[in-house]
């Protein structure tokens, strides 16, 4: 039934064009196949069908989107502008069906056309416009903002090639270009009319204007056009559809006619290629930064486009920019967009005639900064030479910000010159650099970390000086994830089971999962829960069989899952040490009574990160031996799922019995995978790191497997001179494992293969695997014991889900709205668009 019938004697656009009953959907689907794709069913490919369905769904989004944009424009509302170099939004079709609440109608409509909805959903190629946690968080936040009716624009980059596709060849990662736009992207709409220009390079000159005011102008030596591509982001069962606006770089002229006229055809086209390079490819490095000029160009490009876009929007209804910070809240997703601080200053002063003081007030009011990492090597800095040659005017502005800031520091700490160099926006300890985190801190009115422990460590360590100086700017905003994608879409079985007991209000009020708690003591419910788990494990087992050719047992084997980017601090190799330890126990006593386990890994390594790639090879090599050893009798299986991305992760979280969150304490800012697992009823084995600390508080110590050094013990041990060799020589089981790796047991064709990994553990062990080894093994033994008691395990699993409600991204977004952005919800009425215009 149509829930939006309009007044009987007017044209019922909702019925004819965007109705959601089965007949209308079917008609729209075949119309799109015919008129948008130029195909009829007999010659249509699967992709044609997918596209036709996507267009059908998009039409229904667009109505809500137009209503939302019109509402925002008419009401002078405050808009959140999320500035992020990465968005990992994942496939859109399934999510949009859920948010529109039309899954069942569409399923029936396509079935009546002889097609299967799940097949069509699987056909979608996801936009891999991010690396990992930070980009996925941005996507969850876009979903929550729309669901909570918060006016928002997500600004970012439309990379032509997103994160590479990963293949595994002979155990090694191989990177394949991600041509995600190859078959077209039905979700985006180019808005060429909102194109802006961005300058790069050149020089500045000063002059006196007609009022005899000292002014500066920037004369760039190149300009690039930014063309926005918009993707509507619809909230769950609401009419709010916000905009994800991603910028594509284009040359100002397709041809440089001067070059063309002198016969230099290649030269003429070359300029186009050069400009368009800016948005060609995502840098595939997760946390360590890469100080490449093109990367700085990308950052400046999207930030300048976005700020110009905001100014244009603002001036469409306001006389001047005085109240810019009252109508926009710009959130810097890490330091990648922090050049925005200098760019907004430049736009206000050089283009819109503001004086420094007022421009600075507006800038600070507008921006807020989220830090996402404690790793020192991930703190962005740009060499002065590079920075000055690309952004000469911005460097001048940064010098002036710094001059004024250091003046304050001098007054604040009159007798301490060391403070000056510690606080300076310019690192002068060796080669000179601009410190982007310092720029973000001084240019923002709020600074936050992404989990309690992370924010504490920021205050104590990485940003300590800034905290002492402006404690009022600092807040914590623990991350969250959207239950729409991470439960409803990924785990329909669990969704149904929960809803059968407590209704479906939890989907937007996740704290209501608490109502499940009493059912943990209900044997029938525990049975149903166990069956549900079995079902989703079977689903994953089938995929593994198909994808990796490995048979795993969903019925008796504990699914022990470790999926995330591959990084030494995340310690996938500590997990491997445990696998080998179990293998050795079996080898010594083939009849040992052992809890069967399936170890499942997934994740990409940065292509230039040698050690991470070697860890992938190690996992696969150990798998090769363990999976094929007859003594093991299938009790241990090791699987590496290739090409871990949003699509491939969705069937993984629901199927986990055990979630591996084993980073060295003090290194993982928050984690969000940890939340997805526990929400889906996995138990966690983890260190006291990132959001694990809060997860454990919520689910209860007795429902969480804790091991390892605490953050302060890690730094203490480091400062006292940590010696991994002592752990190696005093622990027999550990020594055996390490010796096996280095002797080539897992790499018979090349016994030295893993030497770099072993050497790094024995002589350096930056991430303290050897120090945590025994504690990890003991904890894993407790896990196995606990798993033998299925009934109690199920109880713990239910309690995990029931107590994880606060990790919804809705909760996180509410906190940002209240404490940082000062924005209100703006409900959108669904009006018939034609009538509204008339
Ligand atoms: C990640 C953090 O490593 C992860 O712990 C956190 O959950 C996530 O951000 C979202 O806050 N950081 C990055 O991906 C990154 O690139 C610069 O940080």
């Amino acid at each position: 039934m149509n829930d939006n019938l309009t007044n009987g004697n007017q044209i019922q656009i909702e019925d004819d064009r965007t109705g959601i009953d089965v007949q209308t959907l079917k008609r729209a689907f075949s119309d799109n196949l015919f008129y948008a794709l130029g195909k009829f069913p007999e010659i249509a490919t699967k992709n044609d069908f997918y596209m036709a369905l996507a267009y059908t769904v998009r039409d229904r989004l667009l109505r809500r989107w137009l209503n939302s944009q019109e509402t925002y424009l008419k009401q002078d509302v405050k808009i959140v502008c999320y500035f992020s170099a990465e968005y990992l939004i994942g496939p859109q079709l399934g999510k949009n069906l859920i948010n529109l609440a039309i899954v069942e109608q569409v399923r029936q409509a396509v079935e009546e056309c002889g097609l299967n909805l799940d097949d069509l959903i699987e056909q979608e190629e996801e936009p891999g416009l991010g690396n990992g946690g930070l980009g996925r968080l941005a996507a969850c936040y876009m979903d929550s903002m729309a669901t909570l009716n918060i006016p928002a624009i997500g600004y970012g980059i439309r990379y032509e090639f997103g994160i590479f596709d990963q293949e595994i060849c002979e155990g090694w990662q191989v990177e394949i270009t991600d041509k995600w736009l190859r078959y077209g992207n039905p979700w985006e709409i180019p808005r060429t009319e909102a194109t802006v220009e961005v300058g790069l390079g050149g020089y500045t000159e000063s002059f006196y204007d007609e009022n005899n005011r000292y002014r500066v102008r920037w004369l760039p030596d190149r300009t690039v056009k930014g063309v926005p591509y918009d993707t509507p982001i619809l909230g769950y069962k609401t009419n709010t559809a916000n905009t994800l606006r991603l910028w594509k770089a284009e040359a100002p002229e397709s041809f440089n006619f001067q070059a063309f006229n002198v016969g230099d055809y290649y030269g003429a086209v070359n300029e186009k290629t050069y400009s368009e390079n800016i948005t060609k490819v995502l840098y595939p490095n997760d946390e360590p930064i890469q100080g490449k000029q093109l990367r700085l160009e990308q950052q400046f490009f999207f930030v300048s486009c976005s700020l110009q876009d905001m100014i244009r929007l603002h001036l469409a209804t306001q006389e001047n920019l005085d109240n810019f910070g009252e109508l926009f809240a710009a959130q810097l997703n890490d330091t990648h967009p922090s050049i925005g601080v200098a760019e907004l200053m430049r736009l206000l002063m050089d283009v819109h005639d503001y004086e420094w003081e007022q421009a600075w007030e507006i800038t600070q009011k507008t921006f807020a900064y989220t830090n996402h990492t404690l790793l020192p090597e991930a703190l962005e800095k740009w060499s002065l030479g590079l920075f000055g040659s690309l952004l000469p005017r911005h460097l001048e502005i940064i010098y002036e910000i710094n001059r004024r800031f250091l003046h304050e520091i001098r007054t604040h700490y009159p007798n301490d010159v060391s403070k000056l160099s510690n606080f300076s926006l310019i690192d002068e300890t060796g080669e000179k650099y601009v410190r982007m985190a310092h720029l973000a801190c001084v240019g923002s009115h709020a600074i936050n970390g992404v989990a309690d422990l992370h924010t504490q460590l920021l205050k104590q360590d990485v940003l300590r000086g800034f905290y002492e100086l402006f404690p009022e700017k600092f807040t914590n905003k623990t991350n969250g994830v959207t239950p729409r994608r991470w439960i409803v879409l990924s785990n329909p079985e669990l969704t149904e089971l929960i809803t059968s007991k407590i209704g479906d209000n939890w989907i937007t009020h996740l704290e209501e999962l608490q109502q499940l708690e009493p059912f943990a003591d209900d044997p029938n419910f525990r049975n149903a829960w166990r069956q549900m788990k079995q079902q989703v494990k079977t689903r994953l087992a089938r995929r593994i069989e198909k994808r990796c050719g490995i048979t795993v047992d969903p019925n008796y084997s504990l699914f022990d899952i470790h999926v995330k980017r591959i990084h030494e601090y995340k310690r996938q190799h500590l997990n491997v040490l445990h696998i080998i330890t179990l293998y050795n126990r079996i080898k010594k006593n083939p009849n040992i009574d052992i809890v069967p386990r399936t170890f499942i890994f997934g994740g990409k390594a940065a292509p230039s990160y040698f050690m991470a790639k070697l860890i992938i090879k190690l996992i696969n090599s150990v798998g090769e031996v363990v999976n094929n050893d007859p003594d093991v009798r299938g009790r241990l299986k090791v699987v590496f799922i290739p090409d871990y991305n949003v699509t491939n992760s969705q069937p993984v979280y629901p199927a986990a019995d055990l979630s591996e969150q084993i980073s060295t304490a003090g290194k993982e800012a928050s984690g969000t995978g940890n939340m997805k697992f526990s929400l889906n009823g996995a138990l966690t084995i983890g260190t006291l790191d990132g959001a694990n600390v809060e997860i454990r508080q919520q689910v209860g110590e007795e429902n969480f497997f804790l091991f390892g050094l605490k953050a302060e013990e890690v730094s203490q041990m480091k400062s006292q001179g940590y010696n991994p060799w002592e752990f190696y020589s005093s622990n027999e089981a550990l020594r055996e494992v390490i010796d096996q790796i280095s002797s080539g047991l897992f790499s018979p064709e090349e016994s030295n293969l893993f030497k770099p990994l072993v050497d790094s553990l024995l002589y350096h062990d930056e991430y303290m695997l050897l120090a945590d080894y025994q504690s990890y093994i003991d904890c894993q033994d407790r896990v196995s014991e606990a798993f033998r008691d299925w009934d109690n395990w199920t109880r713990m699993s239910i309690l995990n889900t029931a107590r994880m409600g606060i990790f919804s991204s809705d909760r996180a977004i509410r906190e940002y709205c209240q404490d940082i952005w000062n924005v209100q919800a703006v409900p959108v009425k669904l009006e018939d668009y034609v009538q509204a215009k008339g």
Side-chain angles (χ1 to χ4, degrees):
M1 274 304 287
N2 190 328
D3 60 351
N4 285 301
L5 286 180
T6 49
N7 186 334
N9 48 21
Q10 289 177 308
I11 314 166
Q12 294 181 357
I13 297 270
E14 178 73 357
D15 268 355
D16 298 345
R17 285 279 305 138
T18 55
I20 55 173
D21 60 289
V22 176
Q23 283 317 309
T24 312
L25 285 163
K26 242 172 98 174
R27 165 79 188 272
F29 178 52
S30 66
D31 274 359
N32 275 318
L33 186 65
F34 201 86
Y35 295 112
L37 293 152
K39 290 277 182 87
F40 48 89
E42 289 72 13
I43 61 163
T45 62
K46 198 162 164 193
N47 195 61
D48 294 327
F49 287 123
Y50 157 73
M51 292 289 276
L53 184 57
Y55 284 128
T56 305
V57 173
R58 189 179 88 173
D59 286 342
R60 280 137 190 90
L61 294 185
L62 289 184
R63 276 203 66 210
R64 286 149 180 93
W65 190 35
L66 288 171
N67 279 164
S68 304
Q69 302 320 308
E70 199 173 31
T71 307
Y72 299 164
L73 197 70
K74 279 189 188 149
Q75 295 185 19
D76 286 355
V77 301
K78 186 167 187 181
I79 301 181
V80 177
C81 294
Y82 205 78
F83 277 53
S84 180
E86 304 186 7
Y87 288 90
L88 262 181
I89 59 174
Q92 295 295 290
L93 178 55
K95 174 205 87 165
N96 281 326
L97 293 177
I98 286 173
N99 286 9
L100 281 165
I102 59 172
V103 180
E104 289 320 313
Q105 297 95 302
V106 169
R107 185 179 299 282
Q108 191 183 333
V110 300
E111 254 162 36
E112 289 179 16
C113 300
L115 297 160
N116 175 286
L117 179 60
D118 299 325
D119 285 353
L120 296 184
I121 288 177
E122 287 222 345
Q123 181 66 25
E124 180 168 352
E125 186 149 5
E126 73 173 67
L129 309 185
N131 274 287
L134 168 145
R136 181 54 230 176
L137 186 76
C140 283
Y141 284 179
M142 289 302 293
D143 179 84
S144 282
M145 286 190 280
T147 298
L148 295 171
N149 302 319
I150 301 298
I153 306 174
Y155 281 116
I157 301 175
R158 182 179 177 275
Y159 301 103
E160 186 178 336
F161 304 112
I163 186 74
F164 61 88
D165 296 334
Q166 179 196 56
E167 284 181 8
I168 300 295
C169 295
E170 295 179 359
W172 293 99
Q173 166 174 299
V174 175
E175 300 93 22
I176 313 285
T177 311
D178 165 43
K179 299 187 181 147
W180 70 286
L181 289 167
R182 187 170 25 184
Y183 304 115
N185 172 8
W187 303 105
E188 66 179 10
I189 300 183
R191 294 290 192 205
T192 44
E193 74 281 8
T195 296
V196 295
E197 290 208 346
V198 174
L200 291 165
Y203 57 97
T204 66
E205 60 184 26
S206 53
F207 63 102
Y208 286 89
D209 68 11
E210 60 276 15
N211 301 321
N212 217 23
R213 270 177 56 206
Y214 178 82
R215 305 285 300 277
V216 178
R217 69 178 145 234
W218 174 26
L219 298 153
D221 59 14
R222 296 194 268 151
T223 53
V224 182
K225 280 199 309 187
V227 183
Y229 283 68
D230 288 354
T231 302
I233 306 288
L234 177 71
Y236 177 74
K237 292 191 183 170
T238 175
N239 296 321
T240 297
N242 286 326
T243 305
L244 176 61
R245 174 159 276 195
L246 303 180
W247 299 95
K248 173 177 194 273
E250 284 188 4
E253 295 292 335
S254 298
F255 279 101
N256 174 338
F257 277 102
Q258 252 164 4
F260 190 46
N261 288 340
V262 296
D264 183 9
Y265 182 81
Y266 281 102
V269 178
N270 213 1
E271 185 185 329
K272 180 172 158 70
T273 316
Y274 190 78
S275 305
E276 297 189 349
N277 262 345
I278 294 182
T279 54
K280 273 267 177 277
V281 41
L282 167 79
Y283 278 97
N285 301 70
D286 193 22
E287 293 196 24
I289 51 139
Q290 216 170 12
K292 290 279 194 310
Q293 168 160 341
L294 186 60
R295 166 99 175 169
L296 182 57
E297 289 180 9
Q298 290 184 332
Q299 296 182 349
F300 176 67
F301 166 77
F302 98 85
V303 165
S304 175
C305 288
S306 310
L307 287 169
Q308 292 184 59
D309 196 50
M310 289 158 67
I311 289 175
R312 176 185 59 81
L313 285 171
H314 187 89
L315 294 178
T317 59
Q318 309 292 310
E319 265 169 30
N320 56 45
L321 296 168
D322 294 2
N323 59 345
F324 188 76
E326 269 109 80
L327 291 181
F328 287 112
Q331 191 68 30
L332 302 171
N333 201 22
D334 215 83
T335 54
H336 317 146
S338 58
I339 184 63
V341 171
E343 173 66 351
L344 183 54
M345 286 298 286
R346 183 190 72 84
L347 290 166
L348 289 169
M349 294 189 304
D350 297 1
V351 182
H352 296 276
D353 290 348
Y354 280 82
E355 298 287 352
W356 182 279
E357 286 73 16
Q358 203 185 352
W360 187 238
E361 211 175 287
I362 296 173
T363 300
Q364 280 187 317
K365 186 161 197 167
T366 303
F367 285 112
Y369 158 54
T370 306
N371 173 288
H372 292 270
T373 185
L374 294 157
L375 299 189
E377 68 270 29
L379 294 177
E380 283 195 300
K381 51 185 193 169
W382 296 103
S383 83
L384 281 195
L386 170 60
F387 202 100
S389 70
L390 197 66
L391 301 169
R393 176 61 179 137
H394 300 79
L395 188 55
E396 288 174 5
I397 291 172
I398 287 171
Y399 282 147
E400 180 60 15
I401 296 173
N402 202 32
R403 190 187 66 78
R404 290 169 183 248
F405 176 55
L406 293 184
H407 181 72
E408 275 177 50
I409 299 293
R410 238 177 251 114
T411 332
H412 208 271
Y413 303 100
N415 302 316
D416 193 347
V417 276
S418 73
K419 292 283 184 204
L420 294 178
S421 70
N422 292 345
F423 274 111
S424 177
L425 305 202
I426 310 297
D427 179 347
E428 303 194 48
T429 50
E431 194 197 336
K432 294 186 183 167
Y433 291 99
V434 186
R435 295 163 160 164
M436 300 310 274
H438 291 211
L439 178 61
C441 284
V442 295
S444 298
H445 66 275
I447 302 167
N448 73 283
V450 290
D452 280 344
L453 174 66
H454 172 230
T455 302
Q456 264 177 43
L457 294 174
L458 282 180
K459 290 177 182 177
Q460 279 166 25
D461 191 16
V462 183
L463 299 177
R464 177 179 184 155
F466 290 95
Y467 176 60
E468 282 170 11
L469 206 56
F470 354 90
E472 70 290 349
K473 282 194 188 184
F474 283 74
T475 61
N476 173 248
K477 293 285 163 279
T478 298
N479 286 165
V481 300
T482 168
R484 272 74 65 183
R485 182 175 293 273
W486 297 112
I487 306 180
V488 180
L489 179 62
S490 314
N491 200 344
E493 294 88 347
L494 175 62
T495 302
E496 209 188 300
L497 183 56
I498 297 174
T499 302
S500 73
K501 289 294 175 200
I502 66 169
D504 66 2
N505 209 37
W506 58 272
I507 298 173
T508 45
H509 297 81
L510 204 61
E511 62 292 344
E512 291 190 9
L513 287 178
Q514 257 178 18
Q515 296 168 18
L516 287 176
E517 268 202 38
F519 295 102
D521 295 323
D522 169 353
N524 290 329
F525 187 72
R526 282 202 301 267
N527 245 340
W529 190 271
R530 190 150 56 227
Q531 271 173 28
M532 174 276 297
K533 201 64 179 186
Q534 219 77 283
Q535 229 174 314
V536 289
K537 284 173 74 175
T538 307
R539 204 151 46 84
L540 181 63
R542 277 200 218 103
R543 275 174 185 274
I544 289 174
E545 176 95 56
K546 197 163 149 206
R547 189 77 204 252
C548 317
I550 300 176
T551 309
V552 302
D553 166 24
N555 297 316
Y556 298 99
S557 179
L558 183 164
F559 278 19
D560 175 339
I561 310 193
H562 204 163
V563 288
K564 48 182 79 242
R565 285 297 286 246
I566 311 293
H567 203 297
E568 286 163 283
Y569 87 79
K570 297 181 189 276
R571 303 201 293 192
Q572 282 90 355
H573 46 338
L574 178 58
N575 188 338
V576 175
L577 299 185
H578 172 236
I579 300 174
I580 302 175
T581 306
L582 293 184
Y583 176 66
N584 288 339
R585 288 185 193 165
I586 292 180
K587 289 307 281 182
K588 285 190 187 116
N589 174 9
N591 291 323
I592 191 174
D593 177 18
I594 207 168
V595 171
R597 288 210 197 203
T598 304
F599 298 92
I600 299 168
F601 293 84
K604 294 177 185 175
S608 58
Y609 190 172
F610 168 74
M611 213 56 111
K613 292 175 112 172
L614 197 55
I615 291 174
I616 294 180
K617 174 67 176 167
L618 177 67
I619 294 168
N620 286 305
S621 303
V622 170
E624 213 31 60
V625 171
V626 170
N627 297 347
N628 297 309
D629 187 324
D631 283 349
V632 174
R633 283 186 252 131
R635 287 171 291 175
L636 305 180
K637 283 277 166 83
V638 182
V639 177
F640 191 97
I641 298 179
D643 202 31
Y644 186 72
N645 58 15
V646 177
T647 309
N648 294 331
S649 76
Q650 285 175 187
V652 169
Y653 292 108
D657 293 306
L658 186 67
S659 153
E660 296 274 352
Q661 308 300 334
I662 62 174
S663 51
T664 317
K667 298 292 178 192
E668 188 70 271
S670 162
T672 44
N674 46 4
M675 301 170 186
K676 295 165 196 166
F677 275 118
S678 179
L679 269 167
N680 279 283
L683 305 197
T684 304
I685 181 164
T687 47
L688 276 184
D689 200 17
N692 294 354
V693 178
E694 291 150 83
I695 291 176
R696 178 166 169 268
Q697 273 162 12
Q698 288 298 316
V699 304
E701 292 172 18
E702 65 288 4
N703 303 308
F704 186 106
F705 295 96
L706 179 71
F707 77 97
L709 295 169
K710 300 191 180 65
E712 69 265 21
E713 293 167 342
V714 167
S715 32
Q716 233 173 48
M717 205 182 243
K718 281 243 163 98
S719 63
Q720 289 162 3
Y722 167 55
N723 183 2
W725 191 271
E726 283 171 15
F727 290 89
Y728 166 78
S729 47
S730 63
N731 186 324
E732 203 183 312
L734 172 62
R735 197 166 59 242
E736 185 181 7
V737 170
I738 298 274
D739 290 349
Q740 285 168 327
I741 300 174
S742 59
S743 72
L745 179 64
F746 304 103
S747 53
E749 68 294 346
E750 196 182 334
S751 56
N752 270 336
L753 187 60
F754 298 115
K755 187 170 190 311
L757 207 51
V758 170
D759 285 351
S760 125
L761 291 180
L762 286 180
Y763 303 110
H764 196 55
D765 198 16
E766 170 79 24
Y767 300 104
M768 327 253 321
L769 279 78
L770 303 200
D772 272 346
Y773 169 83
Q774 195 54 50
S775 163
Y776 182 55
I777 299 294
D778 294 343
C779 191
Q780 287 285 22
D781 289 340
R782 294 199 298 277
V783 169
S784 292
E785 276 321 299
F787 195 70
R788 289 179 194 273
D789 182 351
W790 275 27
D791 213 36
N792 192 45
W793 183 279
T794 305
R795 218 183 98 77
M796 295 196 284
S797 165
I798 297 168
L799 290 179
N800 263 261
T801 302
R803 295 175 177 175
M804 282 292 291
I806 70 158
F807 298 99
S808 167
S809 45
D810 299 345
R811 185 269 315 149
I813 286 299
R814 282 202 193 90
E815 291 179 3
Y816 278 95
C817 287
Q818 274 170 26
D819 306 341
I820 299 183
W821 300 333
N822 189 27
V823 295
Q824 256 77 50
V826 177
V828 174
K829 276 215 302 238
L830 192 62
E831 285 175 64
D832 185 298
Y833 200 66
V834 173
Q835 289 170 37
K837 291 278 111 176

